Amino acid sequence: QVSLVESGGGLVQPGGSLRLSCTAPRLIFSTYTMLEMAWYRQAPGDQRELVATITSDGKTNYADSVKGRFTISRNNSRKTIWLQMNSLKPEDTAVYYCNARNTDTATTSWGQGTQVTVNS
């Protein structure tokens, strides 16, 4: 299990931007580089859905609903990933979760979640 700490959620108007971050402060660098990181989200009454993933060497993948608006990035030396969210829509409202998957052991860990609300 990896301890993941998220921050950056909040209330924003439609069309606005937010940046989420997720750090793994207790993890050593070599272990962090084995992690594929991701952001998921879950709206009330819905299943948790994948938003974006990023491999250790920076390859990214996005859900169709966020392509062109969201950008996932990471800095391995800082053991941190970010999710830059632009042109936010009310349907982006959800709790956003950071996820780490160890590519060596296949174990996964979750952050505590951060609320993003897009509302005028």
Side-chain angles (χ1 to χ4, degrees):
Q1 281 280 335
V2 175
S3 174
L4 301 171
V5 180
E6 299 149 347
S7 62
L11 173 65
V12 64
Q13 291 186 339
S17 298
L18 280 175
R19 189 173 83 149
L20 308 181
S21 66
C22 171
T23 64
R26 300 194 188 123
L27 209 58
I28 61 173
F29 173 78
S30 58
T31 303
Y32 189 81
T33 60
M34 291 192 290
L35 301 180
E36 178 175 288
M37 302 297 295
W39 288 97
Y40 285 74
R41 67 185 181 187
Q42 187 168 20
D46 290 347
Q47 290 189 331
R48 193 171 295 189
E49 65 173 358
L50 180 65
V51 175
T53 62
I54 187 165
T55 63
S56 180
D57 60 356
K59 295 184 180 66
T60 60
N61 190 42
Y62 296 92
D64 287 343
S65 59
V66 306
K67 276 181 185 173
R69 300 189 298 122
F70 290 11
T71 303
I72 188 171
S73 59
R74 73 188 281 167
N75 183 311
N76 288 337
S77 63
R78 293 174 64 180
K79 297 176 284 182
T80 301
I81 65 167
W82 295 271
L83 184 68
Q84 178 66 45
M85 305 185 292
N86 297 329
S87 302
L88 282 161
K89 305 174 181 179
E91 51 264 43
D92 294 318
T93 296
V95 178
Y96 284 70
Y97 296 92
C98 179
N99 171 272
R101 185 179 71 87
N102 189 308
T103 56
D104 188 44
T105 66
T107 55
T108 61
S109 301
W110 294 92
Q112 79 282 2
T114 185
Q115 177 71 46
V116 171
T117 302
V118 185
N119 195 335
S120 57

